[in-house]
Amino acid sequence: NGKINLDNTMDILRIPIECILYDESNTPYVFIVKNNIACKNIIYPGKVSNNYIEIVGGITLNDSVILNPPKTLSDKTKVKVVSNK
């Protein structure tokens, strides 16, 4: 007899790979929007699948992450949210 070990079913937070930037130390981060301000947030990535990356820490489900942030964007920059898709 064999056993199949099923992990606990949990929601997995995934974001598009295009959201992620890397600093000079190769630390991954994203920009999230809080009160129309772009805030640099270090993330802890997990597995990559179909152009999405699992996030195991650093952001939550309720955070608004900037997709394709320009490399010129800096922490605490005022931004305008134009889409929430």
Side-chain angles (χ1 to χ4, degrees):
N1 285 335
K3 288 186 177 180
I4 298 174
N5 184 12
L6 298 176
D7 291 336
N8 292 341
T9 307
M10 294 175 37
D11 290 334
I12 296 173
L13 177 58
R14 296 184 318 151
I15 61 172
I17 291 174
E18 295 87 4
C19 296
I20 301 173
L21 297 172
Y22 294 87
D23 66 15
E24 54 281 341
S25 303
N26 211 29
T27 302
Y29 67 94
V30 295
F31 282 101
I32 61 173
V33 179
K34 292 182 183 177
N35 300 318
N36 293 324
I37 302 291
C39 300
K40 180 179 175 179
N41 229 47
I42 292 173
I43 57 165
Y44 302 92
K47 298 175 187 172
V48 176
S49 170
N50 296 330
N51 297 323
Y52 283 85
I53 190 160
E54 177 184 344
I55 303 299
V56 295
I59 59 174
T60 67
L61 186 61
N62 295 323
D63 288 329
S64 295
V65 179
I66 297 177
L67 182 63
N68 289 321
K71 294 196 184 300
T72 55
L73 185 61
S74 59
D75 194 27
K76 309 295 186 222
T77 301
K78 188 171 177 67
V79 293
K80 179 180 180 184
V81 178
V82 292
S83 177
N84 196 18
K85 292 183 181 178

